[in-house]
Each structure stands twice: as structure tokens, then as C-alpha cells.
Amino acid sequence: MNLKRLLVAVTLALFAFSVPALAQNKEVTGKVTDVKDGSPLAGVTVAIKGTQIATATDANGLFKLKVPADAKTLTISSIGFATREVPVEAGEMSIGLSAISTSLNEVVVIGYGTSRKKDLTGSVINLTAKDFNKGSITTPEQLIMGKAAGVQITSNGGAPGAGSTIRIRGGASLNASNDPLIVIDGVPLSNNQISGQANPLSLINPDDIASFTVLKDASATAIYGARGSNGVIIITTKTGSKGKPKFSFTSQLSVYTPTKEVPVLTPTQFRAYVNANGNATQKALMGNANTDWQKEIYHTALGQNNELSMSGSLKNMPYRISAGFLNQDGILKTDNLKRTSLSINLNPHLFDNHLNIQLSVLGTYSQSRFANQGAIGAAVNFDPTQPVYSGSNRFGGYWEWLDPTSISGLKGLAPRNPLGLLMMREDKSTVQRSIGSAQFDYKVHFLPDLHAKLNLSYDISQGEGTIYVPDSAAASYKRFVDGNGNYHSGVNDHYKQTNSNTFLQFYLNYVKDLKSIRSRIDVMGGYEYNDYLTTNYYYADYSANGVKAPNSDPTYPFDKPENTILSYFGRLNYTYADKYLLTATFRRDGSSRFSPNNRWGNFPSVAVAWKINQENFLKNVNALSDLKLRASYGITGQQDGIGNYDYISYYGLSNATAQYDFGGTYYQMFRPGGYYANRKWEQTATSNIALDYGFLNNRITGSIEYYYRKTTNLLNLINQPAGTNFSNQIVANVGDMENKGLEFTINATPVRTKDLEWNVGFNITYNTNKITKLTISNDPNYPGNLYGGISGGTGNTILINSVGYPRGSFYVYKQIYDKSGKPIENLFADLNRDGIITASDLYRYKYADPRVFLGFNTNLNYKKWNGGFSMRANLGNYLYNNVASSTGTMKNILNPLGYLSNGSSDVLNTNFTGNGTNYYLSDYYVQNASFLRMDNIFIGYNFGKVFKNTVGLRLGASVQNVFVITDYKGADPEINYQGTYPQTYSGIDNSLYIRPRTFVLNLNLDF
């Protein structure tokens, strides 16, 4: 009984003491966000300092915690963020956490797998959403423009979806492709163009992209063997995450405005020039108008881009689904791109997480209307004293140069009305593309360190379109005559192409930590099959009213070129003591583009790395976060840019204009094509040495790299002696070229406080190349391969590839100047001193490729505000100003054929008459095109949760192509690459579609 009374007394006493304690407990509520962008942080631990009382934030960053009345301080902690201690406050608390540098532990997608950033031995750059450029981004590569050392991205002009040309470390070839391999979610894309689409990458919605990984040296790219010589860009799209469904809506409104025009004579200057130099007949040709033809063809355009995405998980299956719509007008009138995109990512986990499946589908439906870019050149050349409209209905009402004596009533070689060229042509296309992959990762039950991985992928597309020009259009008026002698006008033509690329990959991957010997091994080996099938459809040529042009029936209704690559590959990664790393790869590729004797190529590589900061003599240096020395060597291959069947002499049916007469009847005959059976792989051997560094908890990081690339067996176009082949030129392995360069990158966070974070990034690349061999045997009299056709003269070229010189040197005459510094027309230096000016006096002057290119970006976050800008510069590159050389002469302006043309205002400086043809090749027209361009400047504000705390709202504004600083005299120093894939080249300025300045408003909603 006494025991019972004692227990009751103790219980009552404890209860009595607990009542006031319970009465004094209080509830603390609040929200934890990322200080960088205000986004909520889930799973953050919120604890009372010095106790075990704690809770965690939910998916929206919210928390509730009951704390004792005397609690003073909360400890807020989360992996990847700096721990904070904050005083307990009444009401809703708002707590921001700053991310700490965990870059070395980031998992980076590499070829055939992933790796921790700190374990990389090759030259690899990883860029994620936080690094991307802001603004109106139409094609994926614009996200990383200027962000990576050694990666040069040049916009292909101002047309919607025009895309860009990408060069990694300058490219490695002359006649084969210099484009990098692009891999999206494990699917290697073909570099082949798609009919009806200006650029294949424009069919990928940039909003679906999570990260880019750029592989630059042979250690990183050799695993891709035959396709890795120009570098590899791996694109990973966004995936779902576990949790409840989350929705995100993004909307952009863009305004595109024309920038600098091509400098031509104003109407006033034009009249003064004609009055001063023309005869009475020529003066009488001038009109009474004052027309700026470039303003007539360009206008301010609008664009919109919207995307809605949903992500979450359904039991063990994370998912993400997104849909987007882009509608962008070009600043060149009639230009338009509409793109509808759909992305689905599913990631189910089966068999107790032993089987991981990644299903990805990207689909795009694109509709384009392509403006007639011939109007750009016409606007430069058309007489500015003439009106836009004639006042009659003839030729659509547009003013044209007339000739009553001609069949068409038009002056045959006179330029056509620029606005008429645009408005009286409809070039419309519809393109559909789907990229899909099913990736299976099976962790073997009885051996969990072994993974079997299977990738089944496809990339299919169809592009078709029509070109319609009405029969009243001057550009196609009375363009052919039928068998009855009747003339027909206009165009009504059709084109179509399909692509079907399939991909199979299987490999085994074994990863094991051998703690007893302080080692880690990662071994991988597998097999790959790539097949690329294109179907080209051919159609006859029709007039606007549907009459077929004579001899326009195609030889074949279609053809189906196809090539296949088979591969075997393996890789070993070995780490000892987490300080010494070794990577060795080997790949064997076989391509159907080569003869059986040369079909297979072997591509090995090896790389080593030393984490110096892990050594005992540096371990206690607190300021040093990372110091790693890397070195690598490897060989990669090249087979793009050659014909699928050129190793054999295949026979093809001649076209309707090449028939043979038998007894008065003409027959189409089968004839052989040129071939070269001994062609083999173009190979690039790359050496790379680098130092990665990090200081102050990686608030300062970067790298210094030196590389040397030697390309042998260059695929080069060479002449064939008469009677030795069925073609006068073939592509053979007869050259060598070297590339070498230095790259420096630094990224820093100079300021990081509770409310303010400032990040800056800078990279600089020096790259130079030299051709060391171009002929089978040394020939000192061989000047080199001429290319780069120019407007003016007949068959003139301005670029040359020569032994001992950089690729793309200008081949020109040395101009002589008068005492005032003006060029003297057709007076050049007689370099060989033979008393006459001939082709022997041409010399190699400057080069088209930049020697140095730089990138700079900065980002400032203050509380809920963020802003920043990015800039790029090219140094040492030159351009041939073909606009000035072909239009800036008296002969062009006062055309002897009976019409007037406008021309480059440079004529006022040179006073060139335009007699002869040598002046086209004057080095006077080769101009310094170095530049500094601000690509982007942006500002944004994060409102946090609005609408009763249910929707996250962010607003932003940006400007793209803000300004350019340059000494170049043309419209833009950054000229897009020209020519037909894969033999594209830069260095010639002729009728560039000017890049617009873009103003963008952004809206982001998360709910």
C-alpha cells in the first residue's frame, strides 16, 4: 500500500511540474529558401541548438516546430549548404541558405557513364542550368555560348532557328566535317541536314535541357572513336524526381529589332556620285524617291515561347512531361518559325531497384516560312532613288528595271525589287522529328558490382515543303518555254526527305572498391551499332500554274543513301589512394564508307591524373581546395564528309541533259562515278596536359590546359590525271595538319553573404593551326587548295590551304597606296620581281580563324533580385569584305548594261572604277574583324509564393546582342560559316542576314 501511495505521489508531482512546462511551449513556423534564387529547399533540418528537438522542411520549404519557451537559437542545416544559426522569432520566419561548393563531388555525365568531377582525368566541361545564358534562346547551343574555354560558337545569322556553327579547339579537318558529335540522352545525332529546317538542333527545345557536357581531349572523346575527333557534346534532358506532382509554366515575349545595316550610299550620296561621274543617259535613269531598301526589307519582329511541364513520381517511377510552343518572326519580312515540342521522361525502378529504366522521347513539329534571302543582296544593290511601288499592277505592283525589247519586259541582269523578292515568294516547310531512347541498367543480383546496360535508340525525321512564286513575280517571269513555244512563269515546286537513324548499344560495367589495397576499379566493355538511312525524294520543276518545265523530270523518283558503323569498345578507370588516377580506353570502329581492306580503325587513349592536394605536404593547407595535374594522349577518327559509296565505282543513270544519240534517238545512259578504293580513316592524335585548381573552399576554381593535335591522312580534294579515273577530282588521304593551343578558365565567388552573392567567370583560349602536308610527295611548286568563291569576276576564290600556313589563309595581291593612304586601283607589289603582275604575285595574308577567343560572365544575387551579363571576344580573325569589293566601284553603280545600282560607301574612299578583275583579290579588302560583343544582360526578381502562398512567381527581363565593338567596316564582324556541309568555311562577308537585338520579358510560375 505504501508503495502505491509513493507511486501516486511521484506521478502527481511530475504532472504538476510538467503543466507549467507544457504551458510554456510555443510553435515556431517558417520557410527555408535558397538565397541564390529564392527557391524553396526541402528536407532541411531545423533543430533547437544543443537539443535533439528537430524537424525537416516539406517540399515547399515550410516547417513547424514546437520549442520550449526558453529556446533562443535554431540551427538550420542541409547537405550542400552552409549551416546557419538564427534566433527564434515570433511569427513566420524566413531563412535563406547559401550553397557551399560541392563541385568536386558533382556527378558528371561522360561518354558511356558518369563520373565524379574530382575523378576526371580528361578535359571535360560540365554546364548546368545555373550556367546557362538567359533570354530568347531558340536553339540549344545558344545556352552555352561563351561559357566554355576552347568552344567557339558562331551564330549562323539572324533567321529564326538558324542555329550556330560549333568548333571545339578549332576543328581537325580540311574537307571532312569539323562539327562535334552531339549526343542527346544517349542518342548520337547525325550531322546531316534535314530538308525544310535551317538547323537540325533548332528542333530541340532548349527548355527541356538539364545539362551540357563538353568532351575536348582524346582521353574523353576516344571512347566515341570514329566520331570523336572534333569533340563531343553530351546533352542531358530534364527528368522527374520523387514527390508530389509539380507544375512549372514559363512564358517569354521577345521583340527583335534590326541592328547595323550594310554601309551603302545614301540617296543623297548616290545622286551626288551619279551626277559627278555619270553621263546624261545614266543621270536620266535616276528617280525622285529616297528609299532605304534595307529598312524596307527589315522590320521589328515579335516572338513568343511558352512551356508547361509537370514532374513528380508515381510510386517507383519518377516522371517529367513538358509541352512547348515557339512562334518567332524574323526581322527579314515574311520569315517565321513555329515549333511545337513534347518531351516525356520516365524512370521506373524494378526488382528492388536492381533494374533501372530510363525512357525518353523528344518530339517536335515545326512549320517554317523561309524569307528569300536574295533580297538582302538586292537591298544593298538596288537604286535608292527608285520607289518601292510602280503604281501599276504589273509584277505585283513593285517597281522593276524594265526593257521593252526583252521577252520578259525586264532588264535581264538588273537586280530585282528587294521587297518584291520577299513578298512574292512562299517557301514553306513542315518538319517532324522524334528522338527516343530506352536505356536499361541491370544490377546483377548475384554480383551487384556488375551492371549490364542496354540502350535502344532512334532519331527519325521527315521534312517536306513547297516553293511557290506567282506567275506575276519579276524573279520568275517567263522563265521557261514549253514544247509549243508558250512561256510560263512562277514556281510551284515540292521537296521531301526522311531520315531514319537507329542505334543499339550494350555494355557491361564492373565497379569495385578494393579497400585492402586502397584501390578502386571501373571496367567497361561493349558493342555498338549505328545505322543512318536517308531517303531523298525528287520532283519535276513546275510553273505557278502547274506546267512542267522541259527536261526537269528526275532521273530517279528517290534514292536511299545509307551508312553503318559497328564498334567494339572498352575502358578502364583505376584509382589508387584517391590520389592517383588512370584511364585507358580502346575502340575499334568499322564503317561501310570504306573498302573492306580499310574499313576498320583502332582508336586508343590513355590518361593519368594526380591529386596533388591530397598529398601530406599539402593536406593542411586550408586555402587549397583542389590541385590536380592531368595528362592524356589518344587517337580519334573521322569519316564524316565523304560519300557513302565512293570506294567503288558505282554506275548512275545520266540526267535528261546528258543523253547519248543513237540513230537520232537520245537515250539516258549509265555512267561510272569517280572512286578511290584506298581511302582510309582520317586520324587525329591529341596530347593534353592540364592543371585544375581550387582555393578557399572552391570559391575560386579553374584550370590551365595545353593541347597539341596532329591530324594525319587528311581527307583532301585532289586532282586526277586525265584518263586515270572517272572523275577529275577525288577525296583522298594526302595531308597532315597540326593544331595547338592554351586554355585558361577561372570561376570565382568574390562575395557570399546572407543577402548577397556575386559570381564571375572568365575563359580565354589561344589556338593556332598549321598545314604540314597536302600532297602525296613534296611539291614546292604546289600553291595549295583554292576555295572560298567570291562575288565578282569569274571563278575567283579568296582562300587557300597551303603547306606551312594556317588553314583558311587569304590568297591576295599586296595593295600599293598613295601618299594619302588611299589604295591605287590595280597597282600591286610585284613580289617575284618579274616585271608583271600575275598569279605568281599572290601571297598568303592573315587568316579567317581567330587566334584568341574569350568569354566573360557575371551573376549577382541580392535577396530576391538577380542580374548579370555575358560577353565574348574574338581576336586575330580577318574577313574579306566582299560587299565592298563587288559593289564599291563605279562600274557597279553606273552599270554599262543600262541600269543603276547602289554600292558600298567604300567607293567614296577608293574611287575605284572597277576595270579589270585583279582588284577583287586586293589585300585592301581583307579587314581586321576582331570584336567584343555583349551577348546578354539580364535582371530578375523572385516574388516567392503568391496567390495565398500557392504559386511561386519570378519575373525577368533581358537584352541580347547588346553591343559590338570592332574596327571592321562591314555590318557585322562575326560572319556565319558558308559552303555546303561538310566543307563549310568562314572569312567572307557577303549578304549576311544581320543578327537582331532582342528584348525579352520572362514569366515563371511554379505550383
Side-chain angles (χ1 to χ4, degrees), residues 51 108 151 194 198 265 408 431 494 588 615 757 872 878 916 964 967:
T51 74
V108 177
V151 181
I194 300 174
L265 297 176
S408 66
V431 179
H494 186 69
R588 180 169 170 81
E615 298 292 350
E757 182 173 316
R872 289 181 299 116
Y878 283 73
V964 181
D967 288 334

Side-chain angles (χ1 to χ4, degrees), residues 136-138 158 252-258 299-304 326-331 960 996-1000:
S136 179
I137 305 296
T138 307
Q252 288 185 345
L253 176 65
S254 303
V255 179
Y256 306 90
T257 61
H299 68 156
T300 298
L302 296 177
Q304 59 173 311
L326 168 75
N327 185 1
Q328 180 182 344
D329 288 328
I331 57 172
Q960 292 171 249
R997 180 164 295 119
T998 308
F999 302 87
V1000 186

Side-chain angles (χ1 to χ4, degrees), residues 34 42 128 169 206 250 265 312 317 350 378 427 464 484 518 555 594 749 758 798 808 890 977:
D34 188 335
T128 59
R169 292 182 168 178
T250 302
L265 297 176
M317 185 179 72
L350 306 175
D427 183 352
E464 59 181 327
N484 298 319
R518 303 172 64 194
T555 304
F594 298 99
T749 306
W758 178 30
I798 200 69
M890 181 187 298
Y977 282 67

Side-chain angles (χ1 to χ4, degrees), residues 587-632:
R587 181 168 176 129
R588 180 169 170 81
D589 281 328
S591 171
S592 63
R593 287 178 168 171
F594 298 99
S595 68
N597 292 334
N598 297 314
R599 183 153 291 172
W600 291 90
N602 299 318
F603 307 103
S605 77
V606 63
V608 293
W610 176 26
K611 297 180 183 178
I612 306 175
N613 64 306
Q614 295 298 313
E615 298 292 350
N616 292 332
F617 60 87
L618 287 177
K619 266 191 174 182
N620 295 323
V621 181
N622 295 328
L624 184 63
S625 311
D626 181 33
L627 190 65
K628 181 169 66 175
L629 181 66
R630 296 184 279 110
S632 67

Side-chain angles (χ1 to χ4, degrees), residues 469-603:
V469 179
D471 57 10
S472 59
S476 302
Y477 194 69
K478 292 188 176 180
R479 68 184 182 94
F480 69 82
V481 61
D482 64 19
N484 298 319
N486 298 316
Y487 284 90
H488 298 274
S489 305
V491 178
N492 192 358
D493 288 346
H494 186 69
Y495 56 87
K496 182 180 179 181
Q497 181 193 72
T498 63
N499 291 281
S500 179
N501 305 326
T502 53
F503 176 72
L504 180 148
Q505 176 190 93
F506 176 79
Y507 63 95
L508 297 175
N509 187 200
Y510 180 77
V511 181
K512 184 69 174 178
D513 285 316
L514 305 174
K515 295 181 180 180
S516 61
I517 56 173
R518 303 172 64 194
S519 298
R520 184 176 189 269
I521 59 170
D522 183 342
V523 185
M524 179 268 290
Y527 166 83
E528 190 173 283
Y529 169 87
N530 295 259
D531 186 74
Y532 303 93
L533 172 64
T534 299
T535 304
N536 299 305
Y537 297 87
Y538 303 110
Y539 301 91
D541 177 23
Y542 292 88
S543 66
N545 60 355
V547 177
K548 186 191 300 181
N551 298 320
S552 69
D553 282 319
T555 304
Y556 306 101
F558 63 89
D559 73 344
K560 302 180 73 171
E562 183 177 14
N563 71 286
T564 302
I565 301 176
L566 299 180
S567 308
Y568 302 91
F569 54 87
R571 179 173 61 207
L572 165 67
N573 288 316
Y574 175 73
T575 303
Y576 176 73
D578 200 30
K579 291 188 291 187
Y580 311 108
L581 302 98
L582 168 71
T583 299
T585 66
F586 180 81
R587 181 168 176 129
R588 180 169 170 81
D589 281 328
S591 171
S592 63
R593 287 178 168 171
F594 298 99
S595 68
N597 292 334
N598 297 314
R599 183 153 291 172
W600 291 90
N602 299 318
F603 307 103

